[in-house]
Structures are given as structure tokens and as C-alpha cells.
């Protein structure tokens, strides 16, 4: 069967499964809609958290980024897993004991302030929409390349599926669908990685394979070979970083604290029955996540070797079929600078601007002609990082069903994360904004209906992002983590570990962290992008890592302000004492 | 807060800070600050700093959470604050 037909079969089967689960697990109360009734088994919650967490970025983009950046890619590997240690040790058990529905619930109650709750709601909505835009792009890439349907049709199908189980099932439907989606996505990630690991090193475990020797008879370690290849071609050696140590440090810190402060992750720990379940389910979640995250760097190294060996020096007319297909989709481009008809893959960017602008004309070898200006480097190749995971099975000539499986996995990753985010947005509107702030008199049935309507609206907005992707998606992802690190993480942490922290301190700290981080990112990304270089950054910290500095400011300002303002009421101090003790009193 | 609960909280904090120091050392320490230094040593087919930053730190993270869960469940019982 062709790749396309197989992809249809795999995607249809997996979507059918998600719908069946959604029908089986409909929600009938707000409790079920927001937190799945608080009865999710820790292992199921771990798998659901992992699917919720691992988005199109983890599944599609991360290995591609590491493939091209080598050692610097570690900031994502450590940053997006290390946050779970903070979650498990510092936040999850206490938030479970607190036993409410949303993150703004905690901020609003702990700091006895509607202002604090509203600031939290605004952050939740901003962070979640930023994230969803990225998921919809992932859905679009998969649909347009593998199913060869229009991107818009693909986004509509994705919206319809998410609508079905998020609006019907709420958190309960989402949780059980996410468990299924985790199984699909991890299977789809590991199978090709195992195949490729065996092909290159004979080792069936990719996480060990990339530290093994090549099986081509040379006896050279794979990474040494890769370092040699990259250096020979005038690129940075794969295992050596080019980012400064301080920038790596701050970016990793921002990603870790941001992970621990992301509302759609935190809210998952409200769904388990007991405090001890919250602790262990963070552990299960990290095991499930680590399976993919320890495989990703192996996939990255394998992909880089395969690309260099299969492409560099090959005549365009003899390039493998996938090369032309991705060129067709515009995510890969070749400029025959020295007019020898062969593809030269070297260090440096091939042309300027760095992303291709295609002309209608076809070049001498049959390639799509470009309007970009050639650069001085010998490199002739542009590869979008997002295509590595999807293209790699084809690059390594794996069977068609593996290629189709990866497409289904990419969709599972994007849809599961989108659904979790939609639920957070809908609960922020129906619960925090209406029920708890402006319309406390609404009944539970009305609240549930509003939750469903706002979920539907959020899906529609997310769909619009997918159809008209804002050009700045990549730029604003730094926002989501930076803002979560600079706002929620310190406020929640201090709310648990300091009985003395009061609303004045928390609000001042949150505003300082937010405004500082927001301004820094907006300045370097939008107002003056030309000056976005290390020599202009504060202490050499890039906008990607500035959230960690915002977090430090938040801690300092909130501690100082709370020293000079009245202690929180006794009832609040008692609340803090009670969430520290697992047993109900 | 009574003395038992206070003692439980202090024990909890000690455990948490101990585990968080290891968390910091394996990731920010070995994976970033000492990355270049450790890369002169070879661990199987990896440079050591590279291995910590792309593999080792993650294994330690998983281990740390399970040690925490195990120890906290013991603390809960020892201080009689476990859930029914």
C-alpha cells in the first residue's frame, strides 16, 4: 500500500479510537468537566500528563532542533524534564491537598484577592493561546504533507475531533483520550528510532545506540563520526555547544520553572484522588516523558548522519523521492550555487533571507528556483527543522507503514496538547471569570453549559490561528515559558512555602515578573529585532531565557513588599498549614 | 501548628532540599556549568558532559522523584499524617 493510503488508515483508526473513548466518558457535572471527578488512577494520570505535555513541539520539532544544534539542544531536554522534579517535590502534592479546580483558584484563594485571580486568568489565557497556535501549525504540516489535503481542511478535521471529545467529555473525556494518544505517539516515536538505531549501530535501544560504534565495520563511535563529518563540512562539531554558558543556564532554568508553572500541566494534578497519588503520578508522567526525551537526542544524531550521508554530494536528479516531496511543500530548498547539479550541504546559511522564497520557474536540474540572494558560504541546502522527525523514516528508507505511523503520532501529540489547553481556557472563563468573580449566582448546570460554550469558542479561535498562522508563532513561544516562570511559579511556590507571603507581595511580585519579562521579549523580538544579539542582552541572557531573571525579580520584590505590609489573615495562614499535611483535618 | 506537624514539615523540607541539590548538580552543574570540563572524559561513546546534558540528567530526574515518593510515604506514616 502507498504511504498516503496507509496514513489515511492509521489516522482514521486512531481518530475512531479517540471518538469512541469520548462517547464512553462523557461528563455530567462541573467536577467531572474540570477535574474528571478527581478519580483518575495515578498511572493513567501520568500517561495523560505526558500526552498533555508532549506537544507538536516535543514530537515534531525537538529532535530536529537538536539534529541541527547538537549540544545546545540540551536546554530543551533538561528544561522540559527537570521541571517535573520541581512539580513533584514543590507543587503537585500541595495543590492536590488544596483541592480546587484551577490555577487562578489557588492564586485567588491563597492571596484572598480578586485582583490576583484576574491577573492569573489573563496569564492563563495568554499562555494557553500562544501554545495552541503552535499545535495547529503541527496539525497543518502533517495533513498537508502526508494526506495531501489542503492545510485548511486538515485544521477543520482536527478542530472537529477536538471539539467532539473536549466539549462532550471535558477533563474526563480528555484524560482517557490522552492515555490513548500517549500510546499512539510513543509507539510512533520509538518504532522508527529503534529501526534506525539497528540500521546504524545494531543496538535496538536508540538511547544506547547513539553512544555505540557504527556497524559499518569502521569501529568508530557514532558521535565521533558525526563530530568528524560536521567539522569536515565546516559546521559546528555536533557535541560542542555554541551558546554561552550563562545563556544555556538561564534558558534551561526558564524552561524548568516555566514547565512547573504551566497551568495545563498543574491542573492535571487536581484529577487524582489523594496527595500521595499526586506525588507518584508526577513520577509516572516523567517516566513516560523520559521515554521520548531520551530517544530524541538519539534520533537527532541519527538523522544528522543520515542527511549528510544521503544528500551531500548527490546529484539533484538522483536525490531520493522524499527530497522532492518536501521541496514541493516548501520546507526544503536547494540553490545550485556552483551550478554543478549536485547538492552541497555545508556550514552556514545557504541564502538570504534564510527561509526560501520560491519563484515559479524550474531550474536546470528540475529544482524549484529561488528568489533569495546567494550567500558567500558553500552551503546550498535549506531544511526546515520541523520536518526531521517526519522525514527521517523516509530518509532511512523504512517501510511505508512506519512513515504512516509517525504521521498519526504527530497528530496525537498536537491534538492531545491542544485539548488540554482548551480545557484550561474554558475553565478560566466559566469558572474563574464568571462563577468566582463576576456571576457567583449561576448554577452548576449553567456553569457547565458556559464551560462547553467557551471550549467551543476557544476551538474556533485556535482554528483561525491554524488557518491564518500568525507569522510570529515561533517568536512568542518564549513568551509562554518566560511568563509562566516569571509569574505563576514564584507565586505558587511562595504561597505554599511561606505563611507570611501576603497579597500585596504576591501581586507586586507577579506584576514585576510579568512586566519585566514581557517588555524584554517584546523589545528584542518586535520593537528592535535587529539588535537581538548577545552583546546587547542583559548579562548575555537571550529573550528565551529572560523569564528566569524575571522569576528572580519576582521572588525579590514579593519578599521585600510582604515584609513591609500586614501579614495575611489567620484563616489564610491556617489554609497554608493545612495544605502542607496530607491527612484531611 | 502542633509540634508533630512541625517536625513532619521540617523533615519534609530537609528531604526536598537534599534532593533538589542533586537535581541542581546533575543538570545545571554537570550538564551546563561543568559541560566543557567533563567533556574531556569519555563515557562509553559519549563525552561525559554531553551525556549528562542529553541523557544522564533525565535519568536522575526520574530517580529523584521516585526516591521522594518513597521517602515521603515513609514520613507520612512515621508522623501519622497519611491519608486514610
Amino acid at each position: 500500500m502507498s504511504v498516503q493510503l496507509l496514513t489515511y488508515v492509521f489516522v482514521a483508526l486512531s481518530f475512531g479510537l479517540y471518538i469512541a473513548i469520548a462517547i464512553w466518558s462523557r461528563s455530567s457535572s462541573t467536577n467531572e468537566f474540570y477535574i474528571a471527578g478527581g478519580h483518575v488512577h495515578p498511572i493513567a494520570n501520568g500517561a495523560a500528563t505526558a500526552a498533555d505535555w508532549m506537544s507538536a513541539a516535543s514530537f515534531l520539532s525537538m529532535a530536529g532542533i537538536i539534529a541541527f544544534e547538537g549540544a545546545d539542544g540540551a536546554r530543551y531536554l533538561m528544561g522540559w524534564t527537570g521541571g517535573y522534579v520541581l512539580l513533584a517535590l514543590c507543587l503537585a502534592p500541595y495543590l492536590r491537598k488544596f483541592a480546587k479546580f484551577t490555577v487562578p483558584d489557588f492564586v485567588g484563594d491563597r492571596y484572598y484577592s480578586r485582583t490576583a485571580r484576574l491577573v492569573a486568568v489573563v496569564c492563563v489565557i495568554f499562555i494557553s493561546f500562544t501554545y495552541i497556535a503552535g499545535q495547529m501549525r503541527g496539525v497543518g504540516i502533517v495533513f498537508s504533507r502526508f494526506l495531501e489535503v489542503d492545510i485548511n481542511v486538515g485544521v477543520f478535521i482536527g478542530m472537529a475531533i477536538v471539539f467532539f471529545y473536549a466539549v462532550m467529555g471535558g477533563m474526563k473525556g480528555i484524560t482517557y483520550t490522552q492515555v490513548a494518544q500517549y500510546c499512539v505517539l510513543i509507539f510512533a516515536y520509538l518504532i522508527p528510532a529503534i529501526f534506525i538505531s539497528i540500521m546504524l549501530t545494531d543496538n535496538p535501544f536508540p538511547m544506547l545506540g547513539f553512544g555505540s560504534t557504527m556497524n559499518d565495520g569502521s569501529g568508530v563511535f557514532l558521535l565521533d563520526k558525526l563530530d568528524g563529518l560536521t567539522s569536515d563540512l565546516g559546521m559546528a562539531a555536533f557535541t560542542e555547544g555554541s551558546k554561552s554558558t550563562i545563556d544555556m543556564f538561564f534558558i534551561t532554568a526558564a524552561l524548568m520553572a516555566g514547565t512547573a508553572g504551566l497551568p495545563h500541566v498543574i491542573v492535571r494534578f487536581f484529577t487524582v484522588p489523594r496527595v500521595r497519588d499526586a506525588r507518584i503520578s508526577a513520577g509516572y508522567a516523567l517516566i513516560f516523558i523520559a521515554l521520548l526525551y531520551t530517544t530524541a537526542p538519539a534520533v537527532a544524531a541519527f538523522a544528522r548522519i543520515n542527511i549528510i550521508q544521503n544528500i551531500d554530494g548527490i546529484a539533484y536528479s538522483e536525490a531520493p523521492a522524499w527530497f522532492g516531496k518536501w521541496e514541493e511543500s516548501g520546507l526544503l530548498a536547494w540553490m545550485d550555487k556552483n551550478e554543478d547539479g549536485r547538492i552541497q550541504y555545508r556550514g552556514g546559511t545557504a541564502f538570504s533571507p534564510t527561509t526560501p522564497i520560491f519563484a515559479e520557474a524550474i531550474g536546470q536540474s528540475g529544482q524549484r528556483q529561488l528568489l533569495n540572494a546567494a550567500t558567500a558560504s558553500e552551503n546550498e541546502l535549506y531544511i526546515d527543522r520541523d520536518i526531521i522527525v517526519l522525514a527521517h523514516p523516509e530518509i532511512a528508507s523504512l517501510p511505508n507503514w512506519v512513515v504512516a505511523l509517525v504521521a498519526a503520532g504527530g497528530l496525537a501529540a498536537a491534538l492531545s496538547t491542544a485539548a488540554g489547553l482548551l480545557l484550561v481556557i474554558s475553565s478560566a472563563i466559566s469558572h474563574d471569570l464568571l462563577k468566582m468573580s463576576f456571576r457567583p449566582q449561576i448554577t452548576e448546570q449553567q456553569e457547565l453549559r458556559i464551560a462547553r460554550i467557551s471550549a467551543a469558542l476557544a476551538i474556533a479561535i485556535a482554528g483561525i490561528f491554524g488557518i491564518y498562522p500568525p507569522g510570529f508563532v515561533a517568536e512568542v513561544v518564549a513568551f509562554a515559558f518566560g511568563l509562566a516562570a516569571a509569574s505563576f511559579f514564584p507565586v505558587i511556590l511562595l504561597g505554599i512555602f511561606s505563611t507570611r507571603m501576603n497579597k500585596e507581595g504576591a501581586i507586586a511580585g507577579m506584576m514585576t515578573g510579568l512586566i519585566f519579562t514581557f517588555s524584554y521579549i517584546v523589545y528584542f523580538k518586535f520593537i528592535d529585532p535587529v539588535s537581538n544579539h548577545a552583546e546587547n542582552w542583559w548579562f548575555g541572557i537571550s529573550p528565551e531565557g529572560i523569564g528566569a531573571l524575571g522569576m528572580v525579580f519576582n521572588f525579590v520584590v514579593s519578599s521585600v513588599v510582604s515584609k513591609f505590609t500586614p501579614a495575611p489573615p489567620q484563616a489564610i495562614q491556617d489554609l497554608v498549614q493545612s495544605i502542607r499535611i496530607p491527612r484531611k483535618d | 501548628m502542633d509540634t508533630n506537624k512541625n517536625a513532619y514539615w521540617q523533615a519534609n523540607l530537609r528531604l526536598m532540599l537534599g534532593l533538589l541539590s542533586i537535581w541542581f548538580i546533575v543538570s545545571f552543574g554537570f550538564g551546563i556549568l561543568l559541560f566543557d570540563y567533563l567533556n574531556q572524559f569519555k563515557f562509553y561513546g559519549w563525552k561525559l558532559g554531553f551525556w549528562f546534558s542529553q541523557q544522564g540528567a533525565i535519568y536522575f530526574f526520574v530517580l529523584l522523584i521516585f526516591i521522594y515518593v518513597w521517602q515521603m510515604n515513609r514520613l507520612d506514616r512515621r508522623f501519622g499524617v497519611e491519608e486514610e
Side-chain angles (χ1 to χ4, degrees):
Chain A
M1 275 199 275
S2 72
V3 172
Q4 197 182 352
L5 188 61
L6 277 164
T7 310
Y8 271 112
V9 171
F10 278 33
V11 170
L13 280 178
S14 60
F15 280 19
L17 176 67
Y18 307 152
I19 290 174
I21 293 172
I23 294 172
W24 166 70
S25 57
R26 288 182 307 275
S27 287
S28 52
S29 66
T30 48
N31 193 14
E32 285 188 343
F33 194 87
Y34 294 144
I35 58 168
H39 291 302
V40 179
H41 189 277
I43 294 184
N45 189 49
T49 310
D52 205 333
W53 171 239
M54 291 192 289
S55 59
S58 294
F59 190 96
L60 297 175
S61 310
M62 194 173 63
I65 294 173
I66 303 168
F68 290 105
E69 290 189 0
D72 287 344
R75 65 190 186 280
Y76 297 113
L77 294 167
M78 290 190 288
W80 286 341
T81 52
Y84 277 84
V85 178
L86 294 175
L87 257 176
L89 273 58
C90 310
L91 306 181
Y94 310 108
L95 291 173
R96 176 62 197 85
K97 178 70 196 298
F98 174 69
K100 286 286 173 64
F101 291 139
T102 66
V103 171
D105 255 344
F106 179 80
V107 176
D109 285 8
R110 166 63 182 82
Y111 294 110
Y112 47 100
S113 153
R114 198 163 88 171
T115 313
R117 185 188 290 267
L118 291 179
V119 173
V121 169
V122 171
C123 291
V124 163
I125 293 177
F126 185 86
I127 292 169
S128 303
F129 268 122
T130 308
Y131 233 86
I132 282 190
Q135 305 314 313
M136 288 299 162
R137 175 182 149 87
V139 173
I141 291 181
V142 175
F143 270 105
S144 65
R145 167 61 183 80
F146 286 95
L147 303 180
E148 287 172 28
V149 296
D150 191 51
I151 288 193
N152 296 356
V153 176
V155 172
F156 274 120
I157 300 171
M159 278 164 63
I161 298 288
V162 174
F163 177 86
F164 197 80
Y165 66 77
V167 175
M168 288 295 115
M171 185 57 119
K172 197 171 158 201
I174 287 175
T175 301
Y176 293 107
T177 320
Q178 279 171 338
V179 174
Q181 283 164 334
Y182 175 76
C183 299
V184 172
L185 82 85
I186 198 67
F187 199 64
Y189 206 83
L190 291 181
I191 294 285
I194 291 169
F195 267 114
I196 296 167
S197 183
I198 293 173
M199 286 167 66
L200 290 176
T201 68
D202 288 334
N203 193 324
F205 298 99
M207 42 294 252
L208 301 177
F210 86 122
S212 309
T213 50
M214 300 287 290
N215 63 1
D216 55 7
S218 62
V220 177
F221 281 118
L222 184 136
L223 287 172
D224 292 341
K225 166 131 186 172
L226 185 50
D227 275 346
L229 284 172
T230 41
S231 305
D232 287 350
L233 296 176
M235 304 159 177
F238 190 79
T239 60
E240 279 161 30
S242 52
K243 281 193 183 299
S244 72
T245 302
I246 182 162
D247 201 23
M248 280 292 282
F249 189 97
F250 273 82
I251 295 175
T252 307
L255 294 178
M256 282 189 188
T259 301
L262 278 180
H264 69 289
V265 176
I266 292 178
V267 75
R268 294 241 42 110
F269 295 96
F270 290 117
T271 65
V272 293
R274 292 170 304 181
V275 172
R276 55 185 299 176
D277 299 324
R279 291 180 193 139
I280 190 83
S281 96
Y284 288 127
L286 189 57
I287 288 192
F288 291 134
I289 293 167
L291 257 180
L292 190 144
Y293 273 63
T294 52
T295 306
V299 170
F302 298 153
R304 187 72 175 271
I305 283 203
N306 274 329
I307 291 173
I308 294 174
Q309 292 190 331
N310 292 334
I311 290 303
D312 182 52
I314 305 286
Y316 179 85
S317 51
E318 282 157 26
W322 59 265
F323 194 89
K325 284 188 188 166
W326 284 104
E327 190 184 11
E328 201 55 46
S329 73
L331 296 170
L332 184 153
W334 173 59
M335 182 184 270
D336 194 9
K337 290 180 181 171
N338 57 0
E339 298 179 348
D340 65 350
R342 290 178 179 278
I343 302 159
Q344 266 83 35
Y345 178 38
R346 296 290 137 73
T349 50
F351 36 72
S352 141
T354 46
T355 48
I357 307 162
F358 292 98
E360 289 302 314
I362 296 299
Q364 254 179 357
S365 309
Q367 83 274 28
R368 295 179 75 184
Q369 288 281 51
L370 296 164
L371 298 172
N372 307 53
T375 55
S377 84
E378 286 176 34
N379 186 24
E380 302 181 338
L381 188 63
Y382 164 82
I383 306 177
D384 187 296
R385 292 160 181 200
D386 286 352
I387 71 176
I388 292 301
V389 168
L390 292 172
H392 195 202
E394 290 176 285
I395 297 174
S397 325
L398 293 183
N400 286 349
W401 66 268
V402 179
V403 180
L405 183 64
V406 173
L411 287 175
L415 293 178
S416 58
T417 306
L421 291 162
L422 288 167
L423 190 90
V424 164
I425 294 173
S426 97
S427 61
I429 294 171
S430 61
H431 183 73
D432 295 306
L433 219 48
L434 289 174
K435 179 76 180 174
M436 302 306 287
S437 299
F438 295 116
R439 288 275 180 282
Q441 69 275 27
I442 55 174
T443 65
E444 190 186 326
Q445 283 313 312
Q446 284 173 316
E447 191 186 339
L448 186 59
R449 197 174 328 122
I450 296 166
R452 290 201 158 110
I453 294 169
S454 35
L457 276 179
I459 292 172
I461 298 173
I464 294 171
F465 277 138
I467 293 166
Y468 306 102
F472 48 86
V473 168
E475 274 71 37
V476 294
V477 170
F479 264 136
F481 285 92
L483 294 184
S487 59
F488 287 134
F489 181 69
V491 159
I492 299 174
L493 196 73
L494 290 170
I496 295 164
F497 290 90
S498 158
T499 46
R500 180 63 178 76
M501 184 49 61
N502 56 14
K503 74 172 175 193
E504 291 83 358
I507 294 173
M510 226 177 356
M511 296 311 289
T512 310
L514 277 177
I515 293 170
F516 169 74
T517 308
F518 191 86
S519 324
Y520 193 89
I521 298 177
V522 166
Y523 179 79
F524 281 115
K525 292 287 189 183
F526 298 104
I527 296 177
D528 192 8
V530 184
S531 70
N532 191 8
H533 298 295
E535 60 268 27
N536 297 321
W537 296 336
W538 283 24
F539 312 111
I541 303 167
S542 63
E544 227 187 324
I546 203 66
L549 194 60
M551 173 176 77
V552 173
F553 288 164
N554 184 337
F555 277 121
V556 172
V557 168
S558 50
S559 307
V560 171
V561 170
S562 74
K563 284 260 186 308
F564 295 102
T565 41
Q570 191 56 44
I572 298 297
Q573 301 194 28
D574 292 345
L575 171 76
V576 177
Q577 298 291 6
S578 87
I579 62 173
R580 292 175 175 183
I581 306 297
R583 172 169 289 188
K584 291 192 184 68
D585 27 34
Chain B
M1 183 141 82
D2 59 47
T3 45
N4 182 52
K5 284 181 178 170
N6 203 18
Y8 168 76
W9 184 244
Q10 293 306 323
N12 176 354
L13 289 182
R14 270 196 303 278
L15 173 64
M16 187 185 93
L17 292 175
L19 294 174
L20 283 181
S21 342
I22 302 175
W23 164 81
F24 184 88
I25 292 167
V26 295
S27 54
F28 292 99
F30 294 164
I32 297 176
L33 298 174
L34 298 174
F35 178 83
D36 290 324
Y37 173 77
L38 290 178
N39 269 353
Q40 61 184 304
F41 306 107
K42 201 79 184 232
F43 172 64
Y44 195 42
W46 292 280
K47 293 175 182 169
L48 190 57
F50 183 84
W51 182 79
F52 264 105
S53 71
Q54 303 221 344
Q55 295 276 295
I58 302 175
Y59 298 135
F60 272 96
F61 294 157
V62 173
L63 199 66
L64 288 172
I65 295 184
F66 279 90
I67 294 174
Y68 172 76
V69 171
W70 171 54
Q71 288 292 325
M72 279 309 282
N73 287 342
R74 280 185 45 182
L75 281 184
D76 285 357
R77 280 192 301 275
R78 199 168 95 210
F79 289 92
V81 296
E82 79 274 27
E83 294 149 291
E84 291 76 25

